[in-house]
Amino acid sequence: MTKSSKALAAVPHPQPATFRKATGSIEIAEPAGRLTLGDRQLFNHLLAVAAPSITDQEWHRVEMVALRRYAAEARNQTGENDNRRLKESVKRLQTTTVEYNYLDSERGPIWESSPLLGTCRVQERTGLLEFSFPAGLRERLAEPALYSLISLRVTYQFDSKYGLVLYEILKRYADRAAESPWWAVQTSELRDLLGCRDRLADYKDFRKRALDPALDEINRLAEFSVDLTETRQGRGRGGGQVVGLTFRIRRKDRAEVVETIKELDKPKIQRRGEKKTKALDVTAVRALTWLQGADYTTRQRWAGRAEVLGVKLPAAAAAADSLGLWVGSIATLLVEEEGLR
């Protein structure tokens, strides 16, 4: 392979703070959901590395160890020891297509399609990654008409791919001067953006396993918070089918920003532990509240289930004032089986 006549952009130790990410490379309609969270984080990092010279340079370079080190430091975690996962991510990015619609002053409306990443090569001896973006895509990335200003460090804090995708989309609206920014989208379109066309087919599962965790992460990690409103159609259960969603964005006040900064400074493993504990607490309260409102026969049935599972029950376990002594032990099971949210 011959090198480009243009010199490589030298960025051996990237520490970019923020970068502009074109809307078209954020709102990737990827129904199959092939891209992982790590793939999306790597693409962000490569884009941030290339940003200062993306207009003038065809090729860019970065040390693989620098990519791993930056990710580990951003997460307050121990880094990986080899490049296998990064190479797999590179290959998936090379086979993922992004689509753009834009207006040309002479030719009118244009639809354009391109892989996210062009030719890449790794010098195995030095661990240097040389990468390029396809020519047409590079033009869109260099001077995007619409973009989000993304913090690279924040993108590495997400545990959910859904959370990262939604954060990047909503960041563009949060950056607007509007007093109360919002984004409305059809549910089917959002499924494609999140890679859920054929996953989590039931809306309740989609909401519980994709949207709610995504919103929780955004509200904890971003400089803005989000509220979700559903639009329903028809007369089905619960008011009909959810056909559209509106995300209303609120910029955090000073005290909330301070709390967000504290959250970002925590090691990811600490946040995961706190999140798990909080989830267990919420589940226990939900189970207890529901069972306290249930009839005596239902309370007795669940007391029997608990006893079979080895839970030591108090006297008169099915009595309302005794439930708090044992329901927490089977809260997760009860919430799942009774379909509680």
Side-chain angles (χ1 to χ4, degrees), residues 18 24 41 46 49 69 78 86 100-101 140-141 150 161 170 197 203-204 227 259 267 270 279 289 293 304 308 311:
T18 59
Q41 290 168 331
L46 296 181
V49 168
R69 185 186 303 124
T78 303
L86 289 178
Y100 283 88
N101 290 284
R140 307 275 80 79
L141 295 175
I150 302 296
K161 176 178 71 172
L170 296 178
R197 176 181 290 179
Y203 177 78
K204 287 172 59 177
D227 290 318
E259 290 303 311
Q270 178 182 343
T289 301
V308 169
V311 177

Side-chain angles (χ1 to χ4, degrees), residues 185-192 203 206 211 231 242-245:
V185 62
Q186 293 183 15
T187 306
S188 57
E189 180 183 350
L190 183 61
R191 281 183 171 278
D192 284 355
Y203 177 78
F206 178 61
L211 289 184
T231 299
V242 178
V243 296
L245 299 162

Side-chain angles (χ1 to χ4, degrees), residues 153-307:
R153 181 186 176 217
V154 170
T155 67
Y156 274 116
Q157 304 302 315
F158 282 85
D159 279 326
S160 161
K161 176 178 71 172
Y162 307 131
L164 178 57
V165 173
L166 197 54
Y167 163 74
E168 293 185 355
I169 293 172
L170 296 178
K171 184 66 166 64
R172 174 162 66 94
Y173 297 89
D175 289 343
R176 288 179 175 175
E179 183 176 345
S180 302
W182 54 273
W183 178 56
V185 62
Q186 293 183 15
T187 306
S188 57
E189 180 183 350
L190 183 61
R191 281 183 171 278
D192 284 355
L193 291 171
L194 298 184
C196 289
R197 176 181 290 179
D198 299 318
R199 300 180 183 181
L200 307 176
D202 185 270
Y203 177 78
K204 287 172 59 177
D205 289 336
F206 178 61
R207 176 72 191 259
K208 178 180 178 180
R209 302 185 186 280
L211 289 184
D212 286 346
L215 292 172
D216 177 66
E217 283 202 300
I218 291 171
N219 288 333
R220 286 187 296 110
L221 302 176
E223 66 275 29
F224 56 88
S225 60
V226 186
D227 290 318
L228 175 62
T229 302
E230 300 172 342
T231 299
R232 293 178 178 268
Q233 184 177 43
R235 298 181 179 179
R237 182 181 177 184
Q241 181 182 7
V242 178
V243 296
L245 299 162
T246 301
F247 298 87
R248 301 191 184 281
I249 300 162
R250 182 183 64 82
R251 299 176 184 88
K252 293 179 177 177
D253 60 30
R254 185 184 297 273
E256 291 172 315
V257 169
V258 170
E259 290 303 311
T260 297
I261 293 172
K262 291 180 180 178
E263 191 73 16
L264 290 169
D265 285 339
K266 295 177 183 177
K268 286 189 74 173
I269 190 170
Q270 178 182 343
R271 282 208 305 273
R272 287 171 182 167
E274 292 174 355
K275 182 179 178 181
K276 184 176 181 180
T277 300
K278 180 181 178 182
L280 289 174
D281 290 343
V282 170
T283 300
V285 170
R286 185 176 295 138
L288 179 59
T289 301
W290 181 86
L291 203 55
Q292 285 175 334
D295 57 56
Y296 184 79
T297 301
T298 300
R299 298 201 301 267
Q300 197 171 40
R301 172 169 59 83
W302 274 105
R305 290 286 302 281
E307 188 172 28

